[in-house]
Short mmCIF file of all heavy atoms in Angstrom, two decimals:
data_model
loop_
_atom_site.label_atom_id
_atom_site.label_comp_id
_atom_site.label_asym_id
_atom_site.label_seq_id
_atom_site.Cartn_x
_atom_site.Cartn_y
_atom_site.Cartn_z
N SER A 235 84.95 49.21 86.66
CA SER A 235 84.58 50.43 85.79
C SER A 235 85.84 50.96 84.89
O SER A 235 85.62 51.64 83.97
CB SER A 235 83.93 51.48 86.68
OG SER A 235 85.04 52.05 87.57
N HIS A 236 87.07 50.76 85.43
CA HIS A 236 88.17 51.19 84.80
C HIS A 236 89.00 50.05 84.08
O HIS A 236 90.07 50.39 83.48
CB HIS A 236 89.12 51.94 85.73
CG HIS A 236 88.57 53.20 86.18
ND1 HIS A 236 87.61 53.26 87.15
CD2 HIS A 236 88.79 54.57 85.75
CE1 HIS A 236 87.30 54.67 87.32
NE2 HIS A 236 87.96 55.33 86.60
N TYR A 237 88.42 48.85 84.04
CA TYR A 237 89.09 47.74 83.36
C TYR A 237 89.04 47.85 81.98
O TYR A 237 88.06 48.04 81.25
CB TYR A 237 88.30 46.50 83.84
CG TYR A 237 88.63 45.27 83.04
CD1 TYR A 237 89.94 44.74 82.93
CD2 TYR A 237 87.54 44.65 82.41
CE1 TYR A 237 90.15 43.59 82.29
CE2 TYR A 237 87.81 43.57 81.59
CZ TYR A 237 89.17 43.02 81.51
OH TYR A 237 89.44 41.89 80.84
N LYS A 238 90.20 47.66 81.31
CA LYS A 238 90.40 47.65 79.85
C LYS A 238 90.97 46.35 79.54
O LYS A 238 92.07 45.98 79.74
CB LYS A 238 91.31 48.89 79.47
CG LYS A 238 90.78 50.11 79.64
CD LYS A 238 91.74 51.20 79.26
CE LYS A 238 91.20 52.76 79.48
NZ LYS A 238 92.08 53.74 79.05
N PRO A 239 90.04 45.50 78.87
CA PRO A 239 90.63 44.22 78.53
C PRO A 239 91.60 44.10 77.49
O PRO A 239 91.63 44.92 76.64
CB PRO A 239 89.21 43.54 78.03
CG PRO A 239 88.45 44.61 77.45
CD PRO A 239 88.74 45.80 78.43
N SER A 240 92.44 43.08 77.70
CA SER A 240 93.54 42.86 76.67
C SER A 240 92.99 41.71 75.83
O SER A 240 91.97 41.16 75.90
CB SER A 240 94.83 42.36 77.29
OG SER A 240 94.61 41.07 77.96
N VAL A 241 93.81 41.46 74.72
CA VAL A 241 93.27 40.50 73.64
C VAL A 241 93.20 39.10 74.38
O VAL A 241 92.35 38.37 73.97
CB VAL A 241 94.28 40.45 72.51
CG1 VAL A 241 93.81 39.43 71.45
CG2 VAL A 241 94.31 41.84 71.82
N SER A 242 94.11 38.87 75.20
CA SER A 242 94.07 37.46 75.77
C SER A 242 93.13 37.26 77.08
O SER A 242 93.02 36.18 77.48
CB SER A 242 95.40 37.18 76.33
OG SER A 242 95.94 38.12 77.26
N ASP A 243 92.49 38.36 77.54
CA ASP A 243 91.69 38.34 78.60
C ASP A 243 90.29 37.60 78.35
O ASP A 243 89.79 37.76 77.26
CB ASP A 243 91.33 39.75 79.20
CG ASP A 243 92.30 40.14 80.09
OD1 ASP A 243 93.23 39.55 80.50
OD2 ASP A 243 92.10 41.33 80.75
N VAL A 244 89.89 36.84 79.23
CA VAL A 244 88.57 36.17 79.22
C VAL A 244 87.51 37.29 79.54
O VAL A 244 87.51 37.98 80.53
CB VAL A 244 88.42 35.03 80.16
CG1 VAL A 244 86.97 34.39 80.11
CG2 VAL A 244 89.52 34.03 79.95
N GLN A 245 86.43 37.43 78.58
CA GLN A 245 85.50 38.49 78.76
C GLN A 245 84.28 37.91 79.46
O GLN A 245 83.84 36.71 79.28
CB GLN A 245 85.11 38.98 77.35
CG GLN A 245 86.27 39.66 76.69
CD GLN A 245 86.90 40.87 77.52
OE1 GLN A 245 86.17 41.78 77.82
NE2 GLN A 245 88.20 40.70 77.69
N ALA A 246 83.60 38.79 80.25
CA ALA A 246 82.44 38.40 81.00
C ALA A 246 81.18 38.32 79.95
O ALA A 246 81.17 39.08 79.08
CB ALA A 246 82.07 39.54 82.04
N LYS A 247 80.35 37.39 80.23
CA LYS A 247 79.20 37.13 79.34
C LYS A 247 77.95 37.59 80.03
O LYS A 247 77.83 37.53 81.23
CB LYS A 247 79.04 35.50 79.00
CG LYS A 247 80.33 34.88 78.52
CD LYS A 247 80.73 35.45 77.25
CE LYS A 247 81.85 34.62 76.61
NZ LYS A 247 83.07 34.53 77.35
N GLU A 248 76.96 38.17 79.28
CA GLU A 248 75.67 38.59 79.85
C GLU A 248 74.90 37.50 80.53
O GLU A 248 74.38 37.76 81.61
CB GLU A 248 74.80 39.21 78.65
CG GLU A 248 73.58 39.80 79.11
CD GLU A 248 73.83 41.38 79.29
OE1 GLU A 248 74.42 41.94 78.51
OE2 GLU A 248 73.16 41.90 80.30
N SER A 249 74.91 36.32 79.98
CA SER A 249 74.15 35.23 80.61
C SER A 249 74.70 34.81 82.05
O SER A 249 73.98 34.21 82.85
CB SER A 249 74.22 34.08 79.71
OG SER A 249 75.53 33.58 79.48
N SER A 250 75.96 35.14 82.33
CA SER A 250 76.58 34.72 83.61
C SER A 250 76.98 35.87 84.49
O SER A 250 77.70 35.68 85.47
CB SER A 250 77.73 33.83 83.41
OG SER A 250 78.67 34.36 82.46
N ALA A 251 76.66 37.12 84.07
CA ALA A 251 77.09 38.30 84.85
C ALA A 251 76.57 38.22 86.27
O ALA A 251 77.26 38.77 87.21
CB ALA A 251 76.59 39.52 84.11
N HIS A 252 75.45 37.61 86.47
CA HIS A 252 74.84 37.55 87.88
C HIS A 252 75.69 36.80 88.81
O HIS A 252 75.51 36.85 90.02
CB HIS A 252 73.41 37.01 87.86
CG HIS A 252 73.40 35.62 87.35
ND1 HIS A 252 73.47 35.14 86.09
CD2 HIS A 252 73.23 34.46 88.10
CE1 HIS A 252 73.38 33.85 85.99
NE2 HIS A 252 73.32 33.38 87.19
N MET A 253 76.52 35.94 88.30
CA MET A 253 77.26 35.00 89.28
C MET A 253 78.45 35.85 89.87
O MET A 253 78.92 35.40 90.97
CB MET A 253 77.91 33.90 88.35
CG MET A 253 76.84 32.98 87.76
SD MET A 253 77.53 31.62 86.89
CE MET A 253 78.36 30.67 88.23
N PHE A 254 78.94 36.91 89.29
CA PHE A 254 80.09 37.62 89.88
C PHE A 254 79.69 38.39 91.07
O PHE A 254 78.63 38.81 91.23
CB PHE A 254 80.78 38.44 88.71
CG PHE A 254 81.51 37.76 87.75
CD1 PHE A 254 80.78 37.26 86.58
CD2 PHE A 254 82.83 37.30 87.73
CE1 PHE A 254 81.41 36.56 85.51
CE2 PHE A 254 83.47 36.68 86.83
CZ PHE A 254 82.78 36.26 85.66
N ILE A 255 80.66 38.66 91.84
CA ILE A 255 80.42 39.43 93.03
C ILE A 255 80.10 40.90 92.81
O ILE A 255 79.26 41.52 93.51
CB ILE A 255 81.71 39.48 94.08
CG1 ILE A 255 81.37 40.04 95.41
CG2 ILE A 255 82.88 39.96 93.45
CD1 ILE A 255 82.23 39.67 96.53
N VAL A 256 80.54 41.43 91.71
CA VAL A 256 80.14 42.76 91.22
C VAL A 256 79.91 42.66 89.78
O VAL A 256 80.48 41.81 89.16
CB VAL A 256 81.21 43.94 91.49
CG1 VAL A 256 81.45 44.13 92.95
CG2 VAL A 256 82.47 43.63 90.76
N ASN A 257 79.02 43.47 89.35
CA ASN A 257 78.70 43.47 87.93
C ASN A 257 79.87 43.63 86.97
O ASN A 257 80.45 44.71 86.99
CB ASN A 257 77.53 44.45 87.55
CG ASN A 257 76.85 44.09 86.17
OD1 ASN A 257 77.39 43.53 85.40
ND2 ASN A 257 75.70 44.71 85.98
N PRO A 258 80.19 42.63 86.20
CA PRO A 258 81.32 42.86 85.26
C PRO A 258 81.11 43.70 84.03
O PRO A 258 82.04 43.93 83.25
CB PRO A 258 81.89 41.49 85.01
CG PRO A 258 80.50 40.72 84.88
CD PRO A 258 79.59 41.32 85.97
N LEU A 259 79.79 43.93 83.73
CA LEU A 259 79.49 44.72 82.51
C LEU A 259 79.18 46.10 82.84
O LEU A 259 78.53 46.46 83.65
CB LEU A 259 78.23 43.99 81.93
CG LEU A 259 78.32 42.57 81.67
CD1 LEU A 259 76.95 41.94 81.28
CD2 LEU A 259 79.39 42.25 80.69
N LYS A 260 79.84 46.99 81.91
CA LYS A 260 79.67 48.39 82.10
C LYS A 260 78.37 48.84 81.43
O LYS A 260 77.88 48.24 80.58
CB LYS A 260 80.82 49.11 81.37
CG LYS A 260 82.24 48.80 81.97
CD LYS A 260 83.27 49.47 81.17
CE LYS A 260 84.71 48.94 81.72
NZ LYS A 260 85.84 49.61 80.89
N GLY A 261 77.93 49.94 81.93
CA GLY A 261 76.68 50.57 81.34
C GLY A 261 76.24 51.82 82.05
O GLY A 261 76.74 52.11 83.10
N GLY A 262 75.33 52.49 81.33
CA GLY A 262 74.90 53.79 81.90
C GLY A 262 73.61 53.65 82.80
O GLY A 262 73.36 52.48 83.34
N ALA A 263 72.76 54.64 82.95
CA ALA A 263 71.61 54.62 83.76
C ALA A 263 70.66 53.57 83.31
O ALA A 263 69.99 52.93 84.22
CB ALA A 263 70.87 55.91 83.80
N ILE A 264 70.40 53.33 82.03
CA ILE A 264 69.44 52.37 81.60
C ILE A 264 69.78 51.06 81.90
O ILE A 264 69.12 50.19 82.34
CB ILE A 264 69.17 52.59 80.02
CG1 ILE A 264 68.54 53.91 79.70
CG2 ILE A 264 68.23 51.44 79.52
CD1 ILE A 264 67.21 54.18 80.35
N ARG A 265 71.06 50.80 81.63
CA ARG A 265 71.62 49.42 81.91
C ARG A 265 71.62 48.97 83.31
O ARG A 265 71.38 47.88 83.81
CB ARG A 265 73.04 49.26 81.27
CG ARG A 265 73.59 47.85 81.38
CD ARG A 265 74.72 47.58 80.46
NE ARG A 265 74.82 46.14 80.26
CZ ARG A 265 75.66 45.57 79.23
NH1 ARG A 265 76.23 46.48 78.38
NH2 ARG A 265 75.72 44.26 79.11
N SER A 266 71.91 50.04 84.22
CA SER A 266 71.87 49.82 85.64
C SER A 266 70.45 49.38 86.12
O SER A 266 70.34 48.69 87.04
CB SER A 266 72.35 51.03 86.31
OG SER A 266 71.38 52.14 86.17
N LEU A 267 69.51 49.85 85.41
CA LEU A 267 68.06 49.44 85.77
C LEU A 267 67.93 47.95 85.69
O LEU A 267 67.19 47.27 86.45
CB LEU A 267 67.08 50.29 84.88
CG LEU A 267 65.61 49.82 85.08
CD1 LEU A 267 65.10 50.11 86.42
CD2 LEU A 267 64.76 50.42 84.01
N PHE A 268 68.59 47.35 84.66
CA PHE A 268 68.52 46.00 84.29
C PHE A 268 69.72 45.30 84.87
O PHE A 268 70.13 44.16 84.48
CB PHE A 268 68.36 45.71 82.85
CG PHE A 268 67.09 46.21 82.20
CD1 PHE A 268 66.91 47.41 81.86
CD2 PHE A 268 65.98 45.45 82.27
CE1 PHE A 268 65.69 47.93 81.37
CE2 PHE A 268 64.69 45.81 81.82
CZ PHE A 268 64.56 47.07 81.32
N SER A 269 70.36 45.76 85.92
CA SER A 269 71.62 45.19 86.45
C SER A 269 71.24 44.05 87.33
O SER A 269 70.08 44.06 88.06
CB SER A 269 72.41 46.23 87.25
OG SER A 269 73.40 45.59 87.95
N THR A 270 72.02 43.00 87.34
CA THR A 270 71.86 41.82 88.23
C THR A 270 72.25 42.03 89.68
O THR A 270 71.96 41.25 90.47
CB THR A 270 72.53 40.60 87.61
OG1 THR A 270 73.98 41.01 87.47
CG2 THR A 270 71.95 40.26 86.30
N HIS A 271 72.93 43.19 89.87
CA HIS A 271 73.50 43.50 91.19
C HIS A 271 72.93 44.78 91.70
O HIS A 271 72.64 45.70 91.04
CB HIS A 271 74.99 43.63 91.13
CG HIS A 271 75.70 42.46 90.72
ND1 HIS A 271 75.57 41.79 89.54
CD2 HIS A 271 76.64 41.59 91.51
CE1 HIS A 271 76.32 40.70 89.46
NE2 HIS A 271 77.00 40.63 90.56
N PRO A 272 72.74 44.78 93.15
CA PRO A 272 72.40 46.18 93.71
C PRO A 272 73.45 47.17 93.61
O PRO A 272 74.59 46.79 93.32
CB PRO A 272 72.04 45.72 95.15
CG PRO A 272 72.84 44.51 95.42
CD PRO A 272 73.04 43.74 94.07
N VAL A 273 73.14 48.34 93.86
CA VAL A 273 74.08 49.42 93.90
C VAL A 273 75.18 49.20 94.84
O VAL A 273 74.93 48.96 95.93
CB VAL A 273 73.43 50.91 94.07
CG1 VAL A 273 74.47 52.01 94.09
CG2 VAL A 273 72.32 51.14 92.99
N THR A 274 76.47 49.30 94.50
CA THR A 274 77.55 48.91 95.32
C THR A 274 77.62 49.83 96.60
O THR A 274 77.90 49.42 97.65
CB THR A 274 78.99 49.04 94.66
OG1 THR A 274 78.94 48.15 93.49
CG2 THR A 274 80.03 48.74 95.54
N GLU A 275 77.27 51.14 96.42
CA GLU A 275 77.17 52.04 97.62
C GLU A 275 76.30 51.66 98.71
O GLU A 275 76.59 51.69 99.83
CB GLU A 275 76.78 53.51 97.05
CG GLU A 275 77.86 54.24 96.32
CD GLU A 275 77.86 53.77 94.74
OE1 GLU A 275 77.10 52.91 94.40
OE2 GLU A 275 78.82 54.22 94.11
N GLU A 276 75.10 51.01 98.28
CA GLU A 276 74.16 50.58 99.20
C GLU A 276 74.70 49.27 99.85
O GLU A 276 74.47 49.15 101.17
CB GLU A 276 72.89 50.28 98.51
CG GLU A 276 71.85 49.76 99.49
CD GLU A 276 71.43 50.68 100.67
OE1 GLU A 276 71.55 51.87 100.43
OE2 GLU A 276 70.92 50.14 101.64
N ARG A 277 75.33 48.54 99.11
CA ARG A 277 75.93 47.24 99.76
C ARG A 277 77.01 47.71 100.88
O ARG A 277 77.04 47.04 101.91
CB ARG A 277 76.58 46.32 98.73
CG ARG A 277 75.54 45.87 97.60
CD ARG A 277 76.24 45.19 96.48
NE ARG A 277 76.82 43.88 96.96
CZ ARG A 277 77.59 43.04 96.14
NH1 ARG A 277 77.65 43.46 94.83
NH2 ARG A 277 78.09 42.06 96.62
N VAL A 278 77.83 48.57 100.48
CA VAL A 278 78.94 49.03 101.37
C VAL A 278 78.31 49.75 102.66
O VAL A 278 78.76 49.50 103.69
CB VAL A 278 79.87 50.01 100.63
CG1 VAL A 278 80.82 50.76 101.59
CG2 VAL A 278 80.61 49.31 99.52
N LYS A 279 77.36 50.52 102.40
CA LYS A 279 76.71 51.17 103.46
C LYS A 279 76.18 50.15 104.54
O LYS A 279 76.28 50.33 105.75
CB LYS A 279 75.47 52.07 102.95
CG LYS A 279 74.76 52.75 104.07
CD LYS A 279 73.57 53.59 103.49
CE LYS A 279 72.81 54.30 104.56
NZ LYS A 279 71.70 55.09 103.92
N ARG A 280 75.40 49.07 104.04
CA ARG A 280 74.88 48.02 104.95
C ARG A 280 76.06 47.35 105.73
O ARG A 280 75.87 47.03 106.80
CB ARG A 280 73.99 47.06 104.11
CG ARG A 280 72.74 47.74 103.52
CD ARG A 280 71.77 46.65 102.95
NE ARG A 280 70.70 47.21 102.27
CZ ARG A 280 69.55 46.53 101.87
NH1 ARG A 280 69.49 45.27 102.12
NH2 ARG A 280 68.62 47.07 101.24
N LEU A 281 77.04 47.06 104.87
CA LEU A 281 78.18 46.36 105.55
C LEU A 281 78.84 47.12 106.61
O LEU A 281 79.21 46.56 107.67
CB LEU A 281 79.16 45.91 104.43
CG LEU A 281 78.72 44.72 103.51
CD1 LEU A 281 79.66 44.67 102.31
CD2 LEU A 281 78.86 43.34 104.34
N ARG A 282 78.98 48.37 106.40
CA ARG A 282 79.78 49.20 107.39
C ARG A 282 78.96 49.44 108.51
O ARG A 282 79.41 49.85 109.64
CB ARG A 282 80.12 50.54 106.81
CG ARG A 282 81.21 50.50 105.62
CD ARG A 282 81.99 51.75 105.34
NE ARG A 282 82.86 51.59 104.32
CZ ARG A 282 84.13 50.99 104.27
NH1 ARG A 282 84.51 50.42 105.48
NH2 ARG A 282 84.93 50.84 103.24
#
Side-chain angles (χ1 to χ4, degrees):
S235 64
H236 290 78
Y237 162 64
K238 295 180 179 179
S240 65
V241 177
S242 61
D243 271 1
V244 178
Q245 299 300 302
K247 310 293 191 299
E248 187 89 40
S249 60
S250 55
H252 66 280
M253 298 183 65
F254 289 90
I255 188 167
V256 296
N257 194 342
L259 303 175
K260 300 176 184 179
I264 296 298
R265 186 157 199 169
S266 65
L267 175 65
F268 292 91
S269 173
T270 53
H271 294 67
V273 177
T274 299
E275 288 79 2
E276 178 61 26
R277 296 172 69 182
V278 169
K279 179 181 176 183
R280 294 189 184 195
L281 285 165
R282 294 202 185 282

